[in-house]
Amino acid sequence: MAPIAETFDLRKTYGAVEAVRGINLRVGANSVCAFLGQNGAGKSTTLRMLMGMIRPTSGTGRIFGLDVAKEEDSVRIRERTAFVAEDKRLYEYMTVAQILRFTRSFFPAWRQDLEQKVLKQFELPLDRKIRKLSKGMRTKLALLLAFARGSDLLILDEPTEGLDPVAIEQVLQMIVSLVAEGATVFFSSHQIAEVEQISDHVVMIDHGKIVLDATMDSVKSDYRHIQVVFSEPVGTHDFDFVGVERVSAEGPVVSLIASGNVDQIVERFRNMRVNNIDVAPLSLKEIFLETVKG
């Protein structure tokens, strides 16, 4: 199946700063793809390039097969895509009811049923000016405007920022429901628990480069931490095995992060007559911390 969104060696520089450094990613149709990284890793810049809000320095991206860098294609992309930016910027002089009515008029596929459902769940006050809403309420309103749009693709930049735990759970369940109805969601986050809860696929970015691109199923089934104890101190240069992502050594203890080929890696260590081998599964949080630290 062709991807809904993809990039090809996408790059963005600001003077001497390389914010995005050759991103190649694919977002599959009818899925939840998480874009995971620390603040400043390049997530928002990448999303804004996909939406045609920032021009790439080089490389390109496509959504629905359309070129994100072409103005006429960008308009067609926005017709089918709901985007919620990190700053959740809205028309502050409007009331909640006014911005709902204003936004609804632009989208023929607007879902009145979903609008009413989310309004009730989020307890948004229809008569209140947006400038008087709390940060959490503004986030809820921005998400409502995106969810009810009837879009094929939702691109959400830190969608749960500023929300309390109850609201976060509501948002995550809404995302899952939209995907079950045929939508595709690509969302950035640095909240690992949220990514693990709802994502089918995770792309991890660090300092503008992709450092992990895998399905959540493969993360759970294939990634392992292997710790090997030798009889004397060793280096890391002899352990460049297939499947090894990271190696570190402290005296006689070698720690590896493996993304596959675990049985063969363990067998090779056994042939080295080591003192002890320990293999343990890795959570996404552990993979993230080890990868960023590496």
Side-chain angles (χ1 to χ4, degrees):
M1 185 179 294
I4 290 289
E6 56 188 334
T7 66
F8 307 92
D9 198 31
L10 195 66
R11 297 175 182 269
K12 182 63 181 179
T13 59
Y14 297 97
V17 177
E18 201 170 15
V20 175
R21 302 162 61 195
I23 292 289
N24 293 286
L25 62 82
R26 292 164 62 91
V27 178
N30 194 210
S31 69
V32 180
C33 182
F35 201 28
L36 180 62
Q38 298 183 92
N39 290 334
K43 303 188 303 297
S44 295
T45 300
T46 301
L47 298 187
R48 288 177 177 273
M49 283 192 285
L50 283 174
M51 290 303 300
M53 301 168 71
I54 298 175
R55 292 277 184 179
T57 302
S58 63
T60 188
R62 302 184 73 82
I63 295 180
F64 309 121
L66 302 169
D67 190 336
V68 300
K70 291 183 178 179
E71 186 173 348
E72 62 272 23
D73 283 1
S74 181
V75 172
R76 293 169 62 193
I77 289 169
R78 295 186 195 201
E79 290 174 349
R80 300 175 58 188
T81 304
F83 175 61
V84 176
E86 186 177 16
D87 57 15
K88 316 297 188 295
R89 189 173 299 173
L90 300 166
Y91 294 118
E92 296 198 347
Y93 63 89
M94 290 186 177
T95 64
V96 171
Q98 286 171 338
I99 200 167
L100 280 170
R101 188 164 56 249
F102 174 76
T103 306
R104 191 189 305 135
S105 66
F106 290 101
F107 299 98
W110 184 271
R111 294 186 53 183
Q112 190 75 33
D113 61 326
L114 191 55
E115 174 193 315
Q116 294 304 312
K117 177 182 177 181
V118 178
L119 268 175
K120 184 177 180 180
Q121 283 190 319
F122 283 169
E123 299 179 333
L124 288 166
L126 288 170
D127 59 348
R128 189 172 302 174
K129 294 280 189 181
I130 291 171
R131 64 171 170 267
K132 294 184 178 180
L133 295 177
S134 67
K135 181 179 180 180
M137 283 290 189
R138 292 167 67 94
T139 296
K140 289 178 180 180
L141 179 55
L143 290 171
L144 165 56
L145 296 174
F147 291 161
R149 197 169 293 182
S151 299
D152 298 317
L153 172 65
L154 291 91
I155 296 181
L156 312 175
D157 196 356
E158 302 289 352
T160 62
E161 186 178 25
L163 298 182
D164 61 58
V166 173
I168 289 172
E169 187 63 26
Q170 290 173 332
V171 169
L172 297 181
Q173 291 306 313
M174 288 175 194
I175 289 173
V176 171
S177 296
L178 287 168
V179 173
E181 295 172 1
T184 300
V185 176
F186 183 38
F187 78 103
S188 77
S189 180
H190 57 269
Q191 301 298 330
I192 297 172
E194 297 172 13
V195 170
E196 284 188 307
Q197 183 175 339
I198 66 169
S199 300
D200 304 305
H201 199 102
V202 58
V203 177
M204 192 180 296
I205 185 173
D206 187 47
H207 290 89
K209 296 187 71 173
I210 290 178
V211 292
L212 175 74
D213 187 347
T215 66
M216 282 302 303
D217 286 342
S218 70
V219 167
K220 294 173 182 176
S221 64
D222 299 338
Y223 277 75
R224 293 292 183 269
H225 177 257
I226 304 172
Q227 186 176 77
V228 185
V229 181
F230 289 83
S231 56
E232 59 184 27
V234 294
T236 62
H237 58 279
D238 294 328
F239 310 120
D240 187 20
F241 306 151
V242 174
V244 172
E245 301 291 336
R246 296 284 185 275
V247 185
S248 61
E250 187 172 345
V253 180
V254 175
S255 294
L256 303 93
I257 302 298
S259 60
N261 199 38
V262 173
D263 291 341
Q264 289 80 2
I265 294 169
V266 170
E267 186 61 31
R268 291 187 69 170
F269 278 120
R270 285 191 179 127
N271 293 333
M272 296 178 185
R273 300 180 183 276
V274 298
N275 292 343
N276 185 63
I277 303 175
D278 182 65
V279 180
L282 280 167
S283 68
L284 185 60
K285 179 179 180 180
E286 290 170 318
I287 295 170
F288 177 74
L289 293 175
E290 288 290 340
T291 301
V292 171
K293 182 173 68 176

